[in-house]
Every structure is written in C-alpha cells, then in structure tokens.
Amino acid sequence: MANFEQPDADNGSLDRGFGLGALVTTGVVSGIAAFSASLLYFHYFPQVQDRPAPIAVVDMVKLGLAVTKVSGQGDTGAFVNAGRAIAMLKEYGYIVLDSRMVIAAPDEYVKNPSDLVPGAPDEVELTGGYVPPNLLEGTPNGTLR
C-alpha cells in the first residue's frame, strides 16, 4: 500500500479556508456582473410595445355613399369632413389604403364611415356596380380557421 502523508504547514501548502473564500468571492462577483449586464441590456434594448401598425383601410365607395346620404340630410360639410379625416390620418402617420386594393385585413385596421365622418351610417346599400364575391361561402360557419 502506498503511504500518503499530509503536507506540513511549513512546506508552503495552502490553507484549506482559501478555497471557500475564493468560491464565495467568485459567486458575489458573478452575481454583480450578471445584474449589471441585465440592467445594461434593458437600458439599451427596451421592451417593444405591442401596438397595431399605423394602417387604415377605408372603403371609399361606402364612404362616398355614406357622405352623400349625410349631405342629403342637410350636412353640407360632410365631403369636406371626410377629406379632412383622411388627411388627418395621413398627418398622424397612417398609411391609408382603399379597401378595393386590399385582399384581406384584420378588423382593427378597417375604418367605417362613422369613424371618419360623425353621423355617417356604417351600413349603406350599394346599388349597381361590382359586388365582390363572398369567398367564404360554403366554408363552415362562413369563416376561415
């Protein structure tokens, strides 16, 4: 059997408490470094707010018919108000699109005539002209998944 001897304190061996002190110091320094890094990360890369894109989809035919109906009831400034509302959307940074040029859009982007002109009806009967086909006809519940 091999004879293992314990090193003497006179031989320059390290104190057994040094390992525990180094471990505690390393843990504290690592914790401070991690906390500092997370503070810097959130300072330079703030959280992004979830908000809808500045897009407004307007059915110009429906808006024109609604404004015509309102102006027939005595509001002569309805056409001017519709133009101002669209210009105001542009000033606020919105991209204003005609609904005939959009294939599909979520409801939060679609602006009704009453959103743009106070007192304008949202449901206007379209007489004549092109009526787009209902692409969801024949699907379950008339909706997509």
Side-chain angles (χ1 to χ4, degrees), residues 1-80:
M1 297 217 94
N3 187 9
F4 295 104
E5 296 180 16
Q6 296 288 336
D8 292 338
D10 297 340
N11 288 343
S13 66
L14 297 175
D15 185 19
R16 293 200 181 272
F18 179 75
L20 181 61
L23 183 64
V24 169
T25 304
T26 302
V28 169
V29 169
S30 298
I32 292 172
F35 181 71
S36 301
S38 66
L39 284 179
L40 288 173
Y41 175 79
F42 287 113
H43 175 73
Y44 287 109
F45 303 108
Q47 297 295 320
V48 177
Q49 300 293 329
D50 289 336
R51 62 179 193 180
I55 297 173
V57 178
V58 179
D59 188 348
M60 296 303 288
V61 173
K62 188 188 278 188
L63 178 65
L65 289 173
V67 168
T68 302
K69 188 174 269 190
V70 170
S71 65
Q73 297 171 354
D75 186 6
T76 56
F79 283 106
V80 175

Side-chain angles (χ1 to χ4, degrees), residues 77 106 111 123 127 135:
K111 302 293 180 194
E123 297 301 322
T127 56
L135 298 177

Side-chain angles (χ1 to χ4, degrees), residues 136 139-145:
L136 300 177
T139 59
N141 299 329
T143 61
L144 294 176
R145 288 183 227 170

